[in-house]
Amino acid sequence: MEFVLYGFINAVQPINLLASLLSVAMGIMVGALPGLSAAMGVALLIPVTFGMPSETALISLAGVYCGAIYGGSISAILLKTPGTSSAAATALDGYPMTLKGEAGKALTTAVVASFIGGLISSVFLYTLSPPLASLALKFGPAEYFWLSIFGLTIIAGVSSKSMLKGLISGALGLVLSTIGMDPMLGVPRFTFGNNNLLQGLPFTATLIGLFSMSQVLLLAEKKIKEKVKAKEIKDKMALSKDELKRIIPLSAWSATIGTVVGILPGAGGTIASFIGYNEARRLSKQKELFGTGIIEGVAGPESANNAVTGGSLIPTLTLGIPGNSVTAILLGGLIIQGLKPGPDLFTVHGKVTYTFFAGFVVVNTMMLILGIFGAKYFAKVSNISDDILIPLIFSLSVIGSYSITNNINDVWVMFAFGIIGYFVAKFKLNSAAVVLALILGPIGETGLRRTLIMNHGNPAALFQSPISWVLITISAASILMPLILTVLGGKKIVEKEE
């Protein structure tokens, strides 16, 4: 409780409140721009946080994350073009509400539901993180090896439409993670005589290249054209008491589901949003109105996808397994700040961690305030054309990469990974799996080699722990699950045709 109280007192310090306000505003604008993503916004912000205190830096990153997830609903509702993939389900009823002249009501419903989702996921963040961190104390080298395998299979299996392409993405990340000094022998690997690669790939420059510079190339590939103009908001933003009664219980239920989905690494906000939409429809007494513009159709998915933000942080902070591409980047920011996921975050670095948790609550509160009073203005961001976005993102990517170590080689690495990220997108591979493999590759390699060294090369040592068998089982399940879902989906289509 001492850490909890300290965290709330520290989170409401003026500097942290200002960081929350500005980062949420930035996140909303990034999310509202179709084609940009929360991952890109967080990646661009990481270099800016280097000079900040650890607490302020983490709160800022969380602000962009939460703001971008909500911001995606703005363009989904006004343009039927989700700003982020997590807002895809929101467009199903959000845009019909706009066509009926209820855009303001739809935007208010989205931010209220998003706030409820973020708040409930914060409760889970407080209650579930410490027990999971205690479990991490029982992990040895063999368990860390299987934990890395679990993380890779989850991302590869769930985040990609094609399991094969997901696995290829993970394999690419694993190959890239071997660049640098051998962790056990100290021998240079795949550096090609370049001393700048002895420490491995510069992590932040790599992220900016994969998620930001690649987006520049994708936007530039299209002919510069004017975006569709956002619908003008003419109706009142306020919700009636009856409407609040309709969405609050639904939002709370969807938030619980979204948090659980977020805890499963790789599941992501898109899956959670569609589950939330289906739950809203299942629980509604007016099922026939879904798809025609109904506030429950906005509240369900928005509450669920925003609850993923807190849920995805739980495995990231306790086990070092990012829940999605954004938390993979956040994990990089955590490591840059000198904080290692695991039990130490809740003991040695308890003040920083619980300030971050309290800051997460503050960030969601800021999102509610900005969403209610600023939605009309944030909506105009959707009208920014590509001819402005391309040079802006390009400049921020170059400046962000160079500012890390003031080394021009980081900029060249960023450009190289911008090209790699472009082809990853063109071949419909998975950037999240590449990033996750860059983080988990060294952990898995070190765990495997240490286990074999400690047991004189006996591979049976990898299968002796009960925790190892649990991780092996869920890793196998994560690979098989997409296949099962594909088969079931095919059967449903056949049944409908018949």
Side-chain angles (χ1 to χ4, degrees):
M1 284 304 297
E2 179 185 350
F3 283 150
V4 173
L5 293 174
Y6 174 87
F8 271 102
I9 293 171
N10 200 16
V12 295
Q13 295 298 312
I15 183 64
N16 290 330
L17 287 176
L18 180 62
S20 300
L21 179 66
L22 295 178
S23 62
V24 170
M26 174 185 169
I28 292 174
M29 288 188 285
V30 169
L33 286 165
L36 305 189
S37 65
M40 197 206 79
V42 174
L44 286 175
L45 187 65
I46 282 182
V48 181
T49 63
F50 287 166
M52 299 180 183
S54 298
E55 300 96 326
T56 307
L58 294 175
I59 289 172
S60 299
L61 295 174
V64 173
Y65 183 16
C66 295
I69 298 299
Y70 158 66
S73 68
I74 294 176
S75 52
I77 290 168
L78 298 175
L79 304 174
K80 202 181 180 181
T81 306
T84 61
S85 60
S86 299
T90 306
L92 297 178
D93 272 276
Y95 187 65
M97 287 186 70
T98 297
L99 296 179
K100 292 195 300 185
E102 299 177 349
K105 186 173 292 186
L107 290 171
T108 302
T109 301
V111 73
V112 170
S114 297
F115 171 71
I116 293 171
L119 203 61
I120 289 178
S121 71
S122 299
V123 174
F124 282 95
L125 195 59
Y126 270 103
T127 54
L128 293 183
S129 296
L132 279 177
S134 300
L135 178 65
L137 287 171
K138 299 179 181 180
F139 278 54
E143 286 78 12
Y144 274 108
F145 167 70
W146 289 116
L147 186 64
S148 66
I149 296 297
F150 166 55
L152 290 170
T153 55
I154 283 285
I155 290 288
V158 181
S159 296
S160 230
K161 292 181 180 178
S162 166
M163 186 179 70
L164 178 60
K165 288 183 178 180
L167 292 172
I168 291 172
S169 304
L172 174 62
L174 286 174
V175 171
L176 294 172
S177 73
T178 61
I179 295 174
M181 300 287 282
D182 185 299
M184 304 297 291
L185 303 176
V187 178
R189 300 186 304 191
F190 307 114
T191 60
F192 304 100
N194 188 338
N195 292 334
N196 292 294
L197 294 177
L198 288 175
Q199 298 299 318
L201 292 169
F203 189 71
T204 307
T206 303
L207 291 178
I208 292 174
L210 279 173
F211 288 96
S212 302
M213 185 53 65
S214 62
Q215 190 63 38
V216 169
L217 298 176
L218 290 168
L219 289 172
E221 184 185 26
K222 302 175 184 178
K223 292 181 179 180
I224 303 300
K225 58 184 180 181
E226 290 296 319
K227 291 183 178 289
V228 179
K229 293 289 183 181
K231 301 286 184 181
E232 189 177 349
I233 303 171
K234 296 180 179 179
D235 63 318
K236 292 182 179 180
M237 304 286 291
L239 296 175
S240 66
K241 288 184 179 180
D242 179 61
E243 289 169 333
L244 286 172
K245 287 180 181 179
R246 285 164 56 190
I247 67 169
I248 288 176
L250 167 64
S251 297
W253 173 240
S254 294
T256 304
I257 294 173
T259 303
V260 174
V261 172
I263 292 173
L264 300 173
T270 306
I271 293 173
S273 67
F274 279 101
I275 293 176
Y277 184 83
N278 288 333
E279 282 298 298
R281 189 174 184 278
R282 185 179 67 83
L283 296 174
S284 176
K285 296 178 181 178
Q286 300 174 308
K287 294 180 174 60
E288 68 283 355
L289 295 180
F290 276 75
T292 64
I294 182 172
I295 58 173
E296 286 90 339
V298 174
E302 277 303 299
S303 178
N305 65 27
N306 278 270
V308 168
T309 57
S312 63
L313 286 171
I314 294 174
T316 304
L317 297 175
T318 57
L319 303 173
I321 300 294
N324 50 41
S325 58
V326 187
T327 46
I329 300 170
L330 274 170
L331 180 59
L334 202 70
I335 294 169
I336 289 168
Q337 292 291 334
L339 303 172
K340 184 180 179 182
D344 283 355
L345 276 182
F346 301 88
T347 53
V348 179
H349 304 293
K351 290 184 177 180
V352 175
T353 302
Y354 282 96
T355 299
F356 176 47
F357 286 0
F360 195 79
V361 177
V362 172
V363 157
N364 278 282
T365 305
M366 290 291 183
M367 180 182 70
L368 177 66
I369 295 170
L370 287 173
I372 290 175
F373 294 103
K376 291 185 178 181
Y377 307 102
F378 285 125
K380 296 179 181 179
V381 174
S382 303
N383 292 327
I384 297 177
S385 61
D386 291 344
D387 55 349
I388 296 175
L389 281 178
I390 290 173
L392 179 63
I393 300 171
F394 182 90
S395 302
L396 290 173
S397 298
V398 173
I399 293 169
S401 300
Y402 182 77
S403 64
I404 301 167
T405 59
N406 294 329
N407 189 340
I408 193 64
N409 288 291
D410 289 357
V411 178
W412 296 125
V413 169
M414 183 272 294
F415 279 128
F417 275 90
I419 296 171
I420 292 172
Y422 169 81
F423 285 107
V424 164
K426 295 300 288 183
F427 287 107
K428 297 183 179 179
L429 299 178
N430 190 347
S431 296
V434 177
V435 171
L436 190 62
L438 279 171
I439 297 172
L440 294 178
I443 296 173
E445 180 189 3
T446 303
L448 174 63
R449 293 172 67 178
R450 282 182 178 173
T451 302
L452 294 176
I453 290 171
M454 291 166 61
N455 294 276
H456 308 289
N458 182 10
L462 293 168
F463 305 93
Q464 292 176 353
S465 164
I467 296 177
S468 294
W469 276 108
V470 170
L471 291 170
I472 291 169
T473 303
I474 58 177
S475 296
S478 71
I479 293 177
L480 295 174
M481 188 57 68
L483 295 174
I484 296 171
L485 292 175
T486 302
V487 172
L488 292 176
K491 286 182 178 179
K492 288 182 178 179
I493 292 171
V494 171
E495 289 173 0
K496 285 181 180 179
E497 290 176 349
E498 290 176 352

